[in-house]
Amino acid sequence: MAQENTRDSILDAAEELMARRGYANTSMRQITGKAKANLAAVNYHFGSKEGMVAAMLDRRLEPLNRKRMELLEAEMEKARLEGRRPDIEMLLRALFEPILRFFRSSEGGGNFIKIFSQIHSDSDDTIRKHFLRHMIPVFMAFFTAFQEALPTLSPDKLAARIFFCIGSMAHAANILVNEKITTISSQLKVPMMSDPEGLMEELIQFNVRGLEIS
Amino acid sequence: MAQENTRDSILDAAEELMARRGYANTSMRQITGKAKANLAAVNYHFGSKEGMVAAMLDRRLEPLNRKRMELLEAEMEKARLEGRRPDIEMLLRALFEPILRFFRSSEGGGNFIKIFSQIHSDSDDTIRKHFLRHMIPVFMAFFTAFQEALPTLSPDKLAARIFFCIGSMAHAANILVNEKITTISSQLKVPMMSDPEGLMEELIQFNVRGLEIS
DNA sequence: GTCTATAAACTGATAGAC
DNA sequence: GTCTATCAGTTTATAGAC
Protein backbone atom coordinates (compact mmCIF):
# COMPACT_ATOMS: atom_id res chain seq x y z
CA MET A 1 0.00 0.00 0.00
CA ALA A 2 3.01 2.28 0.29
CA GLN A 3 3.92 4.91 -2.29
CA GLU A 4 0.75 4.85 -4.33
CA ASN A 5 -0.83 7.42 -6.54
CA THR A 6 -4.06 9.08 -5.50
CA ARG A 7 -6.19 6.94 -7.75
CA ASP A 8 -5.07 3.65 -6.24
CA SER A 9 -5.15 5.04 -2.71
CA ILE A 10 -8.80 5.91 -3.20
CA LEU A 11 -9.64 2.44 -4.53
CA ASP A 12 -7.84 0.77 -1.63
CA ALA A 13 -9.64 2.93 0.92
CA ALA A 14 -13.00 2.33 -0.76
CA GLU A 15 -12.40 -1.41 -0.71
CA GLU A 16 -11.53 -1.43 2.96
CA LEU A 17 -14.46 0.72 4.05
CA MET A 18 -17.06 -0.91 1.82
CA ALA A 19 -15.95 -4.35 2.96
CA ARG A 20 -17.15 -3.44 6.42
CA ARG A 21 -20.02 -1.03 5.81
CA GLY A 22 -21.30 -1.69 2.32
CA TYR A 23 -21.69 0.67 -0.60
CA ALA A 24 -24.56 2.85 0.58
CA ASN A 25 -23.13 3.23 4.06
CA THR A 26 -19.71 4.42 2.90
CA SER A 27 -19.42 8.08 2.01
CA MET A 28 -16.93 9.70 -0.32
CA ARG A 29 -15.76 11.80 2.61
CA GLN A 30 -14.86 8.69 4.60
CA ILE A 31 -13.02 7.26 1.60
CA THR A 32 -11.02 10.34 0.72
CA GLY A 33 -10.33 10.91 4.43
CA LYS A 34 -8.79 7.47 4.79
CA ALA A 35 -6.93 7.78 1.49
CA LYS A 36 -5.60 11.19 2.51
CA ALA A 37 -6.96 12.56 -0.73
CA ASN A 38 -9.19 15.51 -1.50
CA LEU A 39 -12.93 15.00 -1.70
CA ALA A 40 -13.07 16.32 -5.25
CA ALA A 41 -10.46 13.79 -6.36
CA VAL A 42 -13.10 11.06 -6.61
CA ASN A 43 -15.12 12.99 -9.13
CA TYR A 44 -11.98 14.05 -10.98
CA HIS A 45 -10.65 10.50 -11.36
CA PHE A 46 -13.85 8.47 -11.63
CA GLY A 47 -16.64 10.92 -12.48
CA SER A 48 -18.90 9.77 -9.65
CA LYS A 49 -19.17 7.46 -6.69
CA GLU A 50 -20.64 4.82 -8.97
CA GLY A 51 -17.73 5.20 -11.39
CA MET A 52 -15.34 4.68 -8.51
CA VAL A 53 -17.06 1.45 -7.51
CA ALA A 54 -16.96 0.21 -11.07
CA ALA A 55 -13.21 0.86 -11.20
CA MET A 56 -12.76 -0.84 -7.84
CA LEU A 57 -14.51 -3.98 -9.09
CA ASP A 58 -12.84 -3.99 -12.50
CA ARG A 59 -9.40 -3.93 -10.90
CA ARG A 60 -10.08 -7.25 -9.11
CA LEU A 61 -12.66 -9.05 -11.24
CA GLU A 62 -10.89 -8.76 -14.55
CA PRO A 63 -7.78 -10.77 -13.56
CA LEU A 64 -9.87 -13.15 -11.43
CA ASN A 65 -12.19 -14.07 -14.27
CA ARG A 66 -9.37 -14.18 -16.82
CA LYS A 67 -7.65 -16.83 -14.69
CA ARG A 68 -10.89 -18.76 -14.30
CA MET A 69 -11.44 -18.84 -18.05
CA GLU A 70 -7.84 -19.92 -18.68
CA LEU A 71 -8.20 -22.87 -16.32
CA LEU A 72 -11.60 -23.77 -17.75
CA GLU A 73 -10.33 -23.77 -21.30
CA ALA A 74 -7.25 -25.78 -20.32
CA GLU A 75 -9.44 -28.55 -18.85
CA MET A 76 -11.84 -28.48 -21.80
CA GLU A 77 -8.94 -28.79 -24.24
CA LYS A 78 -7.30 -31.57 -22.20
CA ALA A 79 -10.57 -33.51 -22.05
CA ARG A 80 -11.07 -33.10 -25.79
CA LEU A 81 -7.56 -34.39 -26.56
CA GLU A 82 -8.01 -37.36 -24.24
CA GLY A 83 -11.44 -38.11 -25.64
CA ARG A 84 -13.24 -37.89 -22.29
CA ARG A 85 -15.80 -35.66 -20.62
CA PRO A 86 -14.55 -32.64 -18.64
CA ASP A 87 -13.89 -33.55 -15.02
CA ILE A 88 -16.25 -32.02 -12.46
CA GLU A 89 -13.53 -31.54 -9.88
CA MET A 90 -11.30 -29.74 -12.37
CA LEU A 91 -14.17 -27.45 -13.36
CA LEU A 92 -14.80 -26.57 -9.73
CA ARG A 93 -11.10 -25.89 -9.24
CA ALA A 94 -11.12 -23.57 -12.24
CA LEU A 95 -14.11 -21.71 -10.78
CA PHE A 96 -12.95 -21.45 -7.17
CA GLU A 97 -9.18 -21.76 -6.80
CA PRO A 98 -8.32 -18.42 -8.44
CA ILE A 99 -10.07 -16.80 -5.48
CA LEU A 100 -7.31 -18.06 -3.17
CA ARG A 101 -4.96 -15.57 -4.72
CA PHE A 102 -6.76 -12.76 -2.88
CA PHE A 103 -6.23 -14.41 0.50
CA ARG A 104 -2.51 -14.69 -0.12
CA SER A 105 -1.96 -11.18 -1.47
CA SER A 106 -1.05 -8.76 1.27
CA GLU A 107 -2.51 -5.59 -0.19
CA GLY A 108 -6.22 -5.42 0.47
CA GLY A 109 -7.10 -8.82 -1.02
CA GLY A 110 -9.10 -9.78 2.05
CA ASN A 111 -11.15 -6.63 1.75
CA PHE A 112 -12.10 -7.53 -1.78
CA ILE A 113 -13.04 -11.08 -0.74
CA LYS A 114 -15.49 -9.67 1.77
CA ILE A 115 -17.11 -7.53 -0.92
CA PHE A 116 -16.96 -10.42 -3.39
CA SER A 117 -18.66 -12.83 -0.99
CA GLN A 118 -21.60 -10.48 -0.53
CA ILE A 119 -21.96 -9.13 -4.01
CA HIS A 120 -23.37 -12.42 -5.31
CA SER A 121 -26.63 -11.53 -3.59
CA ASP A 122 -26.33 -7.83 -2.92
CA SER A 123 -29.43 -5.71 -2.59
CA ASP A 124 -27.80 -2.67 -4.10
CA ASP A 125 -28.44 -2.37 -7.82
CA THR A 126 -25.50 -0.05 -8.32
CA ILE A 127 -22.90 -2.54 -7.22
CA ARG A 128 -24.61 -5.72 -8.45
CA LYS A 129 -25.05 -4.27 -11.94
CA HIS A 130 -21.30 -3.94 -12.42
CA PHE A 131 -20.66 -7.35 -10.89
CA LEU A 132 -23.08 -9.08 -13.25
CA ARG A 133 -21.48 -7.48 -16.26
CA HIS A 134 -18.31 -9.38 -15.35
CA MET A 135 -19.98 -12.59 -14.26
CA ILE A 136 -22.59 -13.43 -16.86
CA PRO A 137 -20.23 -14.55 -19.65
CA VAL A 138 -18.16 -16.54 -17.14
CA PHE A 139 -21.22 -18.23 -15.70
CA MET A 140 -22.45 -19.16 -19.16
CA ALA A 141 -19.11 -20.72 -20.11
CA PHE A 142 -19.03 -22.80 -16.93
CA PHE A 143 -22.66 -23.82 -17.33
CA THR A 144 -21.90 -25.18 -20.80
CA ALA A 145 -18.86 -27.05 -19.47
CA PHE A 146 -20.82 -28.62 -16.61
CA GLN A 147 -23.48 -29.69 -19.11
CA GLU A 148 -20.83 -31.60 -21.01
CA ALA A 149 -19.60 -33.17 -17.79
CA LEU A 150 -23.11 -34.21 -16.70
CA PRO A 151 -25.02 -34.73 -19.96
CA THR A 152 -27.88 -36.72 -18.46
CA LEU A 153 -28.74 -34.12 -15.79
CA SER A 154 -31.58 -31.79 -16.78
CA PRO A 155 -30.48 -28.17 -17.42
CA ASP A 156 -32.68 -26.65 -14.72
CA LYS A 157 -31.41 -29.05 -12.07
CA LEU A 158 -27.85 -28.42 -13.19
CA ALA A 159 -28.35 -24.66 -12.96
CA ALA A 160 -29.77 -25.06 -9.45
CA ARG A 161 -26.78 -27.15 -8.36
CA ILE A 162 -24.30 -24.65 -9.77
CA PHE A 163 -26.05 -21.93 -7.77
CA PHE A 164 -25.71 -24.12 -4.68
CA CYS A 165 -21.97 -24.38 -5.35
CA ILE A 166 -21.62 -20.64 -5.78
CA GLY A 167 -23.62 -19.97 -2.62
CA SER A 168 -21.51 -22.35 -0.55
CA MET A 169 -18.35 -20.71 -1.85
CA ALA A 170 -19.55 -17.17 -1.19
CA HIS A 171 -20.64 -18.00 2.34
CA ALA A 172 -17.41 -19.83 3.14
CA ALA A 173 -15.36 -16.88 1.89
CA ASN A 174 -17.41 -14.51 3.98
CA ILE A 175 -16.97 -16.56 7.15
CA LEU A 176 -13.26 -16.88 6.58
CA VAL A 177 -12.76 -13.15 6.13
CA ASN A 178 -15.14 -12.14 8.91
CA GLU A 179 -12.97 -14.18 11.20
CA LYS A 180 -10.14 -11.82 10.37
CA ILE A 181 -11.98 -8.50 10.24
CA THR A 182 -14.66 -8.66 12.90
CA THR A 183 -15.40 -10.73 15.98
CA ILE A 184 -18.84 -11.80 14.84
CA SER A 185 -18.20 -15.44 14.01
CA SER A 186 -16.16 -15.72 17.20
CA GLN A 187 -19.50 -15.62 18.98
CA LEU A 188 -20.06 -19.11 17.63
CA LYS A 189 -18.46 -21.54 20.03
CA VAL A 190 -17.47 -23.81 17.19
CA PRO A 191 -14.02 -24.68 15.87
CA MET A 192 -13.35 -22.98 12.54
CA MET A 193 -11.11 -23.99 9.68
CA SER A 194 -9.02 -20.88 9.38
CA ASP A 195 -6.59 -21.84 6.63
CA PRO A 196 -7.93 -20.87 3.21
CA GLU A 197 -6.27 -23.78 1.40
CA GLY A 198 -7.74 -26.43 3.68
CA LEU A 199 -11.17 -24.87 3.52
CA MET A 200 -10.95 -24.65 -0.27
CA GLU A 201 -10.18 -28.38 -0.49
CA GLU A 202 -13.12 -29.21 1.74
CA LEU A 203 -15.33 -26.88 -0.33
CA ILE A 204 -14.36 -28.51 -3.60
CA GLN A 205 -14.91 -32.08 -2.36
CA PHE A 206 -18.25 -31.08 -0.81
CA ASN A 207 -19.46 -29.66 -4.11
CA VAL A 208 -18.08 -32.54 -6.19
CA ARG A 209 -20.25 -34.90 -4.14
CA GLY A 210 -23.23 -32.57 -4.42
CA LEU A 211 -22.95 -32.10 -8.17
CA GLU A 212 -22.42 -35.63 -9.40
CA ILE A 213 -25.21 -38.18 -9.79
CA SER A 214 -27.82 -37.49 -12.42
CA MET B 1 -52.07 -6.49 3.90
CA ALA B 2 -55.49 -4.87 4.17
CA GLN B 3 -56.86 -3.27 7.32
CA GLU B 4 -53.70 -3.12 9.38
CA ASN B 5 -52.66 -0.91 12.19
CA THR B 6 -49.92 1.63 11.69
CA ARG B 7 -47.27 -0.51 13.36
CA ASP B 8 -47.72 -3.47 11.02
CA SER B 9 -48.09 -1.26 7.97
CA ILE B 10 -44.71 0.24 8.73
CA LEU B 11 -43.07 -3.17 9.15
CA ASP B 12 -44.58 -4.42 5.89
CA ALA B 13 -43.40 -1.35 4.02
CA ALA B 14 -39.93 -1.60 5.56
CA GLU B 15 -39.70 -5.23 4.53
CA GLU B 16 -40.68 -4.53 0.97
CA LEU B 17 -38.34 -1.58 0.52
CA MET B 18 -35.36 -3.09 2.31
CA ALA B 19 -35.71 -6.30 0.32
CA ARG B 20 -34.87 -4.30 -2.77
CA ARG B 21 -32.59 -1.54 -1.56
CA GLY B 22 -31.04 -2.77 1.69
CA TYR B 23 -31.07 -1.20 5.12
CA ALA B 24 -28.82 1.81 4.58
CA ASN B 25 -30.45 2.70 1.30
CA THR B 26 -33.99 2.76 2.63
CA SER B 27 -35.06 5.91 4.43
CA MET B 28 -37.76 6.30 7.02
CA ARG B 29 -39.45 8.76 4.69
CA GLN B 30 -39.74 6.11 1.97
CA ILE B 31 -41.10 3.64 4.49
CA THR B 32 -43.69 5.90 6.08
CA GLY B 33 -44.62 7.20 2.65
CA LYS B 34 -45.40 3.70 1.39
CA ALA B 35 -47.14 2.75 4.64
CA LYS B 36 -49.24 5.94 4.48
CA ALA B 37 -48.06 6.73 7.99
CA ASN B 38 -46.51 9.80 9.48
CA LEU B 39 -42.74 10.10 9.61
CA ALA B 40 -42.73 10.52 13.38
CA ALA B 41 -44.69 7.28 13.79
CA VAL B 42 -41.52 5.20 13.41
CA ASN B 43 -39.87 6.86 16.36
CA TYR B 44 -43.07 6.72 18.35
CA HIS B 45 -43.58 2.97 17.80
CA PHE B 46 -40.00 1.70 17.60
CA GLY B 47 -37.80 4.42 19.09
CA SER B 48 -35.45 4.55 16.10
CA LYS B 49 -34.79 3.13 12.66
CA GLU B 50 -32.68 0.40 14.24
CA GLY B 51 -35.50 -0.48 16.64
CA MET B 52 -37.84 -0.79 13.67
CA VAL B 53 -35.50 -3.20 11.90
CA ALA B 54 -35.17 -5.28 15.06
CA ALA B 55 -38.97 -5.53 15.27
CA MET B 56 -39.17 -6.40 11.57
CA LEU B 57 -36.73 -9.28 12.03
CA ASP B 58 -38.24 -10.52 15.30
CA ARG B 59 -41.66 -10.82 13.69
CA ARG B 60 -40.34 -13.35 11.13
CA LEU B 61 -37.36 -15.02 12.77
CA GLU B 62 -39.04 -15.97 16.01
CA PRO B 63 -41.68 -18.29 14.46
CA LEU B 64 -39.19 -19.53 11.84
CA ASN B 65 -36.63 -20.62 14.41
CA ARG B 66 -39.27 -21.99 16.77
CA LYS B 67 -40.44 -24.32 13.98
CA ARG B 68 -36.86 -25.32 13.21
CA MET B 69 -36.20 -26.23 16.83
CA GLU B 70 -39.45 -28.20 17.04
CA LEU B 71 -38.53 -30.30 14.02
CA LEU B 72 -34.98 -30.76 15.26
CA GLU B 73 -36.11 -31.95 18.67
CA ALA B 74 -38.69 -34.27 17.10
CA GLU B 75 -36.01 -36.02 15.04
CA MET B 76 -33.59 -36.20 17.97
CA GLU B 77 -36.27 -37.74 20.15
CA LYS B 78 -37.33 -40.19 17.45
CA ALA B 79 -33.73 -41.28 16.88
CA ARG B 80 -33.22 -41.73 20.59
CA LEU B 81 -36.32 -43.90 20.93
CA GLU B 82 -35.31 -46.00 17.93
CA GLY B 83 -31.74 -46.32 19.19
CA ARG B 84 -30.14 -44.87 16.07
CA ARG B 85 -28.17 -41.77 15.10
CA PRO B 86 -30.11 -38.70 13.92
CA ASP B 87 -30.67 -38.76 10.17
CA ILE B 88 -28.79 -36.15 8.16
CA GLU B 89 -31.62 -35.65 5.71
CA MET B 90 -34.11 -35.07 8.52
CA LEU B 91 -31.79 -32.55 10.15
CA LEU B 92 -31.48 -30.64 6.89
CA ARG B 93 -35.25 -30.71 6.48
CA ALA B 94 -35.64 -29.26 9.97
CA LEU B 95 -33.19 -26.49 9.12
CA PHE B 96 -34.49 -25.59 5.66
CA GLU B 97 -38.11 -26.61 5.12
CA PRO B 98 -39.64 -24.07 7.55
CA ILE B 99 -38.37 -21.41 5.14
CA LEU B 100 -40.86 -22.61 2.52
CA ARG B 101 -43.67 -21.19 4.59
CA PHE B 102 -42.59 -17.67 3.58
CA PHE B 103 -42.84 -18.49 -0.11
CA ARG B 104 -46.39 -19.72 0.30
CA SER B 105 -47.67 -16.91 2.50
CA SER B 106 -49.22 -14.15 0.48
CA GLU B 107 -48.42 -11.22 2.74
CA GLY B 108 -44.86 -10.08 2.22
CA GLY B 109 -43.20 -13.44 2.84
CA GLY B 110 -41.15 -13.15 -0.33
CA ASN B 111 -39.82 -9.80 0.81
CA PHE B 112 -38.56 -11.32 4.01
CA ILE B 113 -36.91 -14.19 2.12
CA LYS B 114 -34.93 -11.68 0.10
CA ILE B 115 -33.73 -9.99 3.28
CA PHE B 116 -33.15 -13.37 4.92
CA SER B 117 -31.03 -14.65 2.05
CA GLN B 118 -28.70 -11.67 2.26
CA ILE B 119 -28.53 -11.20 5.98
CA HIS B 120 -26.39 -14.31 6.43
CA SER B 121 -23.47 -12.32 5.05
CA ASP B 122 -24.61 -8.73 5.35
CA SER B 123 -22.04 -5.97 5.65
CA ASP B 124 -24.26 -3.84 7.84
CA ASP B 125 -23.56 -4.35 11.51
CA THR B 126 -26.94 -2.95 12.52
CA ILE B 127 -28.94 -5.60 10.76
CA ARG B 128 -26.53 -8.52 11.22
CA LYS B 129 -26.30 -7.94 14.96
CA HIS B 130 -30.02 -8.58 15.42
CA PHE B 131 -29.95 -11.55 13.07
CA LEU B 132 -27.13 -13.25 14.96
CA ARG B 133 -28.94 -12.85 18.24
CA HIS B 134 -31.65 -15.11 16.79
CA MET B 135 -29.37 -17.51 14.98
CA ILE B 136 -26.55 -18.38 17.34
CA PRO B 137 -28.52 -20.67 19.68
CA VAL B 138 -30.18 -22.35 16.70
CA PHE B 139 -26.86 -22.90 14.98
CA MET B 140 -25.36 -24.39 18.12
CA ALA B 141 -28.25 -26.84 18.53
CA PHE B 142 -27.96 -28.01 14.93
CA PHE B 143 -24.20 -28.28 15.17
CA THR B 144 -24.53 -30.61 18.13
CA ALA B 145 -27.12 -32.69 16.28
CA PHE B 146 -24.95 -33.00 13.18
CA GLN B 147 -22.04 -34.07 15.39
CA GLU B 148 -24.16 -36.94 16.67
CA ALA B 149 -25.11 -37.85 13.13
CA LEU B 150 -21.50 -37.78 11.90
CA PRO B 151 -19.42 -38.68 14.97
CA THR B 152 -16.24 -39.56 13.08
CA LEU B 153 -16.04 -36.23 11.21
CA SER B 154 -13.77 -33.66 12.84
CA PRO B 155 -15.61 -30.66 14.34
CA ASP B 156 -13.88 -28.06 12.19
CA LYS B 157 -14.66 -29.93 8.98
CA LEU B 158 -18.25 -30.39 10.11
CA ALA B 159 -18.61 -26.68 10.88
CA ALA B 160 -17.24 -25.86 7.44
CA ARG B 161 -19.72 -28.21 5.76
CA ILE B 162 -22.65 -26.75 7.68
CA PHE B 163 -21.60 -23.30 6.50
CA PHE B 164 -21.53 -24.64 2.92
CA CYS B 165 -25.11 -25.88 3.41
CA ILE B 166 -26.27 -22.55 4.77
CA GLY B 167 -24.57 -20.68 1.95
CA SER B 168 -26.15 -22.85 -0.73
CA MET B 169 -29.56 -22.35 0.87
CA ALA B 170 -29.19 -18.57 1.15
CA HIS B 171 -28.05 -18.22 -2.44
CA ALA B 172 -30.81 -20.45 -3.76
CA ALA B 173 -33.42 -18.43 -1.87
CA ASN B 174 -32.02 -15.21 -3.23
CA ILE B 175 -32.06 -16.45 -6.82
CA LEU B 176 -35.62 -17.70 -6.46
CA VAL B 177 -36.91 -14.41 -5.12
CA ASN B 178 -34.87 -12.23 -7.45
CA GLU B 179 -36.57 -14.06 -10.25
CA LYS B 180 -39.85 -12.65 -8.99
CA ILE B 181 -38.81 -9.16 -7.99
CA THR B 182 -36.22 -8.02 -10.49
CA THR B 183 -35.12 -8.98 -13.97
CA ILE B 184 -31.47 -9.51 -13.04
CA SER B 185 -31.29 -13.27 -13.13
CA SER B 186 -33.30 -13.22 -16.35
CA GLN B 187 -30.12 -11.98 -17.95
CA LEU B 188 -28.78 -15.49 -17.51
CA LYS B 189 -29.84 -17.51 -20.49
CA VAL B 190 -30.25 -20.57 -18.34
CA PRO B 191 -33.39 -22.50 -17.39
CA MET B 192 -34.35 -21.89 -13.76
CA MET B 193 -36.22 -24.07 -11.32
CA SER B 194 -38.95 -21.68 -10.30
CA ASP B 195 -41.02 -23.84 -7.95
CA PRO B 196 -39.83 -23.48 -4.37
CA GLU B 197 -40.74 -27.06 -3.41
CA GLY B 198 -38.78 -28.65 -6.24
CA LEU B 199 -35.78 -26.45 -5.59
CA MET B 200 -35.93 -27.28 -1.87
CA GLU B 201 -35.87 -31.00 -2.65
CA GLU B 202 -32.86 -30.56 -4.93
CA LEU B 203 -31.17 -28.42 -2.28
CA ILE B 204 -31.65 -31.01 0.45
CA GLN B 205 -30.37 -33.91 -1.65
CA PHE B 206 -27.39 -31.84 -2.79
CA ASN B 207 -26.42 -31.09 0.79
CA VAL B 208 -27.04 -34.64 2.02
CA ARG B 209 -24.48 -35.85 -0.51
CA GLY B 210 -22.10 -33.07 0.45
CA LEU B 211 -22.37 -33.65 4.19
CA GLU B 212 -22.06 -37.40 4.44
CA ILE B 213 -18.78 -39.28 4.27
CA SER B 214 -16.32 -38.71 7.07
C1' DG C 1 -51.49 8.17 18.62
C1' DT C 2 -50.96 11.39 14.98
C1' DC C 3 -49.54 15.65 13.23
C1' DT C 4 -46.38 19.85 11.68
C1' DA C 5 -42.24 22.04 11.91
C1' DT C 6 -37.65 22.08 12.52
C1' DA C 7 -33.14 20.99 14.27
C1' DA C 8 -28.51 19.34 13.21
C1' DA C 9 -25.97 16.76 10.49
C1' DC C 10 -24.90 14.44 6.55
C1' DT C 11 -24.78 13.35 1.35
C1' DG C 12 -22.83 13.53 -3.85
C1' DA C 13 -21.48 16.77 -6.90
C1' DT C 14 -19.49 21.04 -8.98
C1' DA C 15 -17.43 25.76 -9.93
C1' DG C 16 -13.41 28.02 -10.10
C1' DA C 17 -8.74 29.41 -8.12
C1' DC C 18 -4.06 27.66 -8.12
C1' DG D 1 -4.03 17.26 -10.67
C1' DT D 2 -5.30 19.33 -6.21
C1' DC D 3 -7.57 22.62 -3.47
C1' DT D 4 -11.54 25.45 -1.00
C1' DA D 5 -16.05 26.70 -0.79
C1' DT D 6 -20.50 25.85 -1.62
C1' DC D 7 -24.95 24.14 -3.65
C1' DA D 8 -28.98 21.59 -3.24
C1' DG D 9 -30.73 17.88 -1.43
C1' DT D 10 -31.01 14.23 1.77
C1' DT D 11 -30.92 11.91 6.36
C1' DT D 12 -32.54 10.59 11.50
C1' DA D 13 -34.58 12.39 15.25
C1' DT D 14 -37.28 15.43 18.34
C1' DA D 15 -40.21 19.19 20.39
C1' DG D 16 -44.62 20.44 21.01
C1' DA D 17 -49.59 21.23 19.32
C1' DC D 18 -53.80 18.59 18.83
Side-chain angles (χ1 to χ4, degrees):
Chain A
M1 291 239 208
Q3 297 290 61
E4 296 178 301
N5 58 30
T6 301
R7 201 188 132 96
D8 287 336
S9 299
I10 288 172
L11 294 182
D12 287 338
E15 218 165 46
E16 182 168 344
L17 288 167
M18 289 184 182
R20 277 207 294 268
R21 305 183 218 283
Y23 172 77
N25 234 337
T26 305
S27 71
M28 286 163 56
R29 281 173 175 79
Q30 291 173 306
I31 293 167
T32 51
K34 182 178 253 301
K36 299 193 205 312
N38 188 274
L39 173 61
V42 171
N43 291 287
Y44 174 78
H45 285 287
F46 307 107
S48 65
K49 187 185 181 185
E50 179 169 351
M52 182 198 63
V53 168
M56 181 187 88
L57 293 177
D58 289 351
R59 188 175 66 147
R60 306 294 190 191
L61 289 176
E62 205 210 299
L64 173 67
N65 281 339
R66 199 184 323 117
K67 186 66 182 171
R68 286 169 151 175
M69 291 300 288
E70 274 174 34
L71 293 173
L72 171 64
E73 282 156 20
E75 168 62 11
M76 296 305 280
E77 178 66 10
K78 194 154 178 286
R80 202 183 58 76
L81 287 173
E82 296 174 8
R84 58 169 173 83
R85 301 196 181 288
D87 182 64
I88 292 175
E89 179 176 329
M90 292 303 287
L91 297 182
L92 283 171
R93 288 191 188 281
L95 186 59
F96 291 160
E97 285 189 338
I99 299 167
L100 278 179
R101 166 197 143 81
F102 294 103
F103 287 102
R104 295 196 202 95
S105 76
S106 52
E107 42 87 29
N111 295 325
F112 173 69
I113 286 293
K114 184 85 196 299
I115 293 169
F116 177 75
S117 71
Q118 287 165 194
I119 203 170
H120 288 88
S121 57
D122 204 289
S123 53
D124 198 294
D125 276 341
T126 310
I127 201 162
R128 191 178 49 202
K129 185 173 65 185
H130 293 286
F131 176 69
L132 285 174
R133 183 168 45 77
H134 283 274
M135 285 313 300
I136 286 174
V138 175
F139 183 90
M140 293 310 298
F142 273 89
F143 181 75
T144 304
F146 276 114
Q147 272 190 305
E148 290 187 35
L150 291 162
T152 60
L153 186 63
S154 74
D156 57 343
K157 284 192 177 185
L158 175 62
R161 291 185 193 180
I162 295 174
F163 284 124
F164 300 156
C165 294
I166 291 171
S168 66
M169 176 274 293
H171 196 61
N174 189 64
I175 296 281
L176 200 59
V177 178
N178 261 348
E179 195 74 9
K180 290 191 218 162
I181 292 182
T182 75
T183 55
I184 301 287
S185 49
S186 67
Q187 292 183 39
L188 292 169
K189 298 285 173 291
V190 158
M192 302 286 288
M193 293 185 73
S194 53
D195 69 306
E197 283 82 5
L199 190 67
M200 174 62 72
E201 209 54 43
E202 193 65 25
L203 174 71
I204 286 171
Q205 297 308 326
F206 180 93
N207 282 312
V208 167
R209 291 195 295 275
L211 274 176
E212 64 195 6
I213 293 177
S214 301
Chain B
M1 292 238 210
Q3 296 293 60
E4 297 178 301
N5 58 29
T6 301
R7 203 188 131 95
D8 286 336
S9 299
I10 288 172
L11 294 182
D12 287 339
E15 217 165 48
E16 182 167 345
L17 288 166
M18 289 184 182
R20 277 206 295 270
R21 304 183 217 283
Y23 173 76
N25 236 336
T26 304
S27 72
M28 286 163 54
R29 277 173 175 79
Q30 291 173 307
I31 293 167
T32 51
K34 181 177 255 304
K36 301 195 205 312
N38 188 274
L39 172 62
V42 171
N43 291 287
Y44 175 77
H45 285 286
F46 307 106
S48 65
K49 187 185 181 185
E50 179 170 351
M52 182 198 63
V53 168
M56 181 187 88
L57 293 177
D58 290 350
R59 189 176 64 149
R60 305 295 189 190
L61 289 176
E62 205 211 299
L64 173 67
N65 281 340
R66 200 184 322 116
K67 186 67 181 167
R68 285 170 152 175
M69 291 301 288
E70 273 174 35
L71 294 172
L72 171 64
E73 281 155 21
E75 167 61 12
M76 296 304 281
E77 178 65 10
K78 193 155 180 286
R80 201 183 58 77
L81 288 173
E82 296 174 9
R84 57 167 173 86
R85 301 196 181 287
D87 183 64
I88 292 175
E89 179 175 329
M90 293 303 286
L91 297 182
L92 283 172
R93 289 191 188 280
L95 186 60
F96 291 160
E97 284 189 339
I99 299 167
L100 278 179
R101 163 196 145 82
F102 294 104
F103 287 102
R104 295 197 203 96
S105 75
S106 51
E107 42 86 32
N111 295 325
F112 173 69
I113 287 292
K114 184 85 196 299
I115 294 169
F116 177 75
S117 71
Q118 286 165 194
I119 204 170
H120 288 86
S121 57
D122 204 288
S123 54
D124 198 293
D125 276 340
T126 309
I127 201 162
R128 191 178 48 201
K129 186 173 63 186
H130 293 287
F131 176 69
L132 285 174
R133 184 168 44 79
H134 283 274
M135 286 312 300
I136 286 174
V138 176
F139 183 91
M140 293 310 298
F142 274 89
F143 182 74
T144 303
F146 277 114
Q147 272 190 306
E148 290 187 36
L150 292 162
T152 61
L153 186 63
S154 73
D156 59 342
K157 283 192 178 185
L158 175 62
R161 290 186 194 179
I162 294 174
F163 283 125
F164 300 157
C165 294
I166 291 171
S168 67
M169 176 274 293
H171 197 61
N174 189 64
I175 295 284
L176 200 59
V177 179
N178 260 348
E179 195 73 8
K180 290 191 218 162
I181 292 181
T182 74
T183 55
I184 302 288
S185 50
S186 67
Q187 293 184 37
L188 292 169
K189 298 285 172 292
V190 158
M192 302 286 287
M193 292 185 74
S194 53
D195 70 305
E197 283 82 4
L199 190 66
M200 174 62 72
E201 211 51 45
E202 193 65 25
L203 174 71
I204 286 171
Q205 298 308 326
F206 180 93
N207 282 312
V208 167
R209 292 194 294 276
L211 274 176
E212 65 195 5
I213 293 175
S214 302

